[in-house]
């Protein structure tokens, strides 16, 4: 049975604790990010490393930042090594970053680190593909809260909507 055309609904929509709309920036190269030209660097909690392959945007890595900016995080040794690994695995591709800034529909103004961590986990789990080099949060996702996220702005590299919780089919 295919689940592609089946509509699912939250069993208890009033119990969805985290409802986020994540606005993604257009892809930019690392040097543009490092030059300070991306305003969302100050507000983004998420980032994705993407590349264009045969006119399709491929996601290679999804990550989060909480206590620092994306531009600072991408200067860290582990991210430099990650980019070098991608360049070895996909010679000739240009890698870009797209930054995601969440807006919360249910009154969350300053999300805590656990909330950001759970959203990152759902982003990785629901968008996993064979091009990704994430090493954690790829096989399991688990959360004590129901979550609904919508990816807006530049979202060609992600599922438009992802959710976690208890669902039903009205059909």
């Amino acid at each position: 049975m295919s689940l592609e055309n089946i509509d699912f609904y939250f069993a208890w929509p009033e119990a969805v604790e985290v409802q986020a709309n994540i606005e993604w920036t257009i892809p930019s190269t690392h040097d543009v990010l490092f030059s300070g030209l991306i305003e969302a660097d100050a507000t983004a909690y998420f980032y994705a490393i993407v590349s264009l392959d045969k006119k399709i945007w491929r996601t290679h890595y999804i990550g989060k930042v909480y206590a620092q900016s994306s531009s600072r995080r991408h200067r860290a040794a582990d991210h430099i090594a990650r980019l070098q690994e991608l360049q070895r695995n996909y010679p000739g591709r240009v890698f870009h970053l797209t930054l995601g800034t969440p807006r919360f529909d249910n009154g969350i103004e300053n999300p805590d680190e656990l909330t950001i961590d759970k959203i990152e986990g759902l982003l990785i789990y629901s968008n996993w593909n064979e091009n990704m080099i994430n090493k954690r949060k790829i096989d399991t996702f688990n959360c004590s809260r129901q979550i609904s996220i919508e990816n807006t702005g530049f979202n060609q590299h992600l599922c438009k909507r992802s959710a976690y919780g208890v669902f039903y089919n009205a059909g």
Side-chain angles (χ1 to χ4, degrees), residues 51-52 86-96:
S51 71
L52 193 58
L86 286 169
Q87 290 167 335
R88 279 191 309 274
N89 292 347
Y90 301 96
R93 283 206 199 161
V94 176
F95 294 94
H96 298 77

Side-chain angles (χ1 to χ4, degrees), residues 89-107:
N89 292 347
Y90 301 96
R93 283 206 199 161
V94 176
F95 294 94
H96 298 77
L97 293 167
T98 176
L99 307 182
T101 300
R103 307 269 184 266
F104 295 93
D105 295 341
N106 50 341

Side-chain angles (χ1 to χ4, degrees), residues 107-154:
I108 299 172
E109 291 187 30
N110 297 309
D112 59 31
E113 191 167 5
L114 180 61
T115 299
I116 295 303
D117 186 64
K118 292 303 181 180
I119 294 172
E120 177 205 29
L122 182 55
L123 283 168
I124 293 167
Y125 188 70
S126 62
N127 291 285
W128 175 252
N129 67 73
E130 67 279 354
N131 297 301
M132 289 179 67
I133 61 169
N134 286 80
K135 300 205 179 347
R136 296 180 326 139
K137 301 180 184 177
I138 59 172
D139 294 326
T140 60
F141 176 72
N142 176 339
C143 185
S144 61
R145 300 183 283 178
Q146 294 193 98
I147 299 175
S148 176
I149 58 176
E150 183 174 357
N151 293 302
T152 61
F154 178 84

